Amino acid sequence: MIDDKEHVEQHVELHLEEEREATMHRGSWDEYFMRIAVEVASRATCDRKHVGAVIVRDKSILATGYNGSIRGLGHCNEQGHLMEDGHCVRTIHAEANAIIQAARNGVRIDGATVYVTASPCWGCFKMIANAGIQRIVFGEFYRDERIFRFATELGIELAPLTPSPAPPAP
């Protein structure tokens, strides 16, 4: 009987150790949602920059968005770029599209976190702030330093995070 008990205890301990190792390779929640934002960015329709955004609250995805043209109009990869001051303005930015998706579906995003593959431009930052999003986790820095000063003033957390590759399958 004791041998069986010891065997069961060893088996349980081995299982718990395997669980701990698997958990260590899963990555953080921030890394998880940023990897999803990277995947969302693969839907972008402007070849100048692929950006993805995921809005999350309480570890649940509320909305996603990528940079793409106005609903019902041609995309950059079909119609060409619409350039102004060195930027393509045919598309709506990923963060704006995620906020719009939440609004279209009646999803409250106040107090949420947005994961975005590039830091928001000034216009998107203002939308994020007015939508009540409290935390911005971003990949690469993209062009507008003002967001740092105003985020501090507004109490919005800005958290840079380089997307990590997905962990290997067991």
Side-chain angles (χ1 to χ4, degrees):
M1 201 69 157
I2 289 181
D3 287 341
D4 286 341
K5 182 181 177 190
E6 285 179 25
H7 178 72
V8 167
E9 286 175 353
Q10 288 174 346
H11 179 74
V12 167
E13 185 56 39
L14 180 62
H15 178 72
L16 289 174
E17 182 62 30
E18 288 171 355
E19 276 291 310
R20 282 190 289 272
E21 286 181 25
T23 302
M24 289 172 38
H25 297 294
R26 289 170 57 191
S28 69
W29 284 106
D30 282 347
E31 291 168 329
Y32 170 72
F33 289 119
M34 185 60 81
R35 284 194 303 268
I36 293 171
V38 169
E39 186 64 30
V40 170
S42 72
R43 295 280 307 151
T45 61
C46 182
D47 59 4
R48 290 177 53 84
K49 188 153 196 71
H50 285 214
V51 179
V54 178
I55 300 175
V56 174
R57 187 177 50 246
D58 299 327
K59 299 177 186 162
S60 293
I61 296 173
L62 304 175
T64 64
Y66 53 85
N67 55 321
S69 295
I70 297 169
R71 192 180 294 263
L73 295 182
H75 300 292
C76 295
N77 58 1
E78 301 163 346
Q79 305 275 319
H81 299 286
L82 182 58
M83 299 300 291
E84 246 178 51
D85 299 324
H87 301 287
C88 180
V89 296
R90 182 178 297 281
T91 62
I92 299 171
H93 289 185
E95 308 92 305
N97 269 328
I99 291 169
I100 291 165
Q101 183 187 74
R104 285 178 57 99
N105 292 309
V107 176
R108 185 177 67 83
I109 58 175
D110 189 52
T113 295
V114 63
Y115 293 85
V116 62
T117 57
S119 63
C121 69
W122 179 237
C124 286
F125 175 81
K126 293 185 289 184
M127 278 189 274
I128 289 167
N130 273 6
I133 293 173
Q134 291 297 303
R135 185 167 182 253
I136 302 168
V137 180
F138 64 92
E140 68 175 285
F141 173 72
Y142 181 66
R143 83 174 177 201
D144 205 318
E145 298 276 343
R146 290 177 288 189
I147 65 172
F148 296 103
R149 180 167 52 98
F150 285 95
T152 300
E153 219 174 292
L154 292 166
I156 296 172
E157 180 186 350
L158 280 174
L161 177 69
T162 303
S164 60

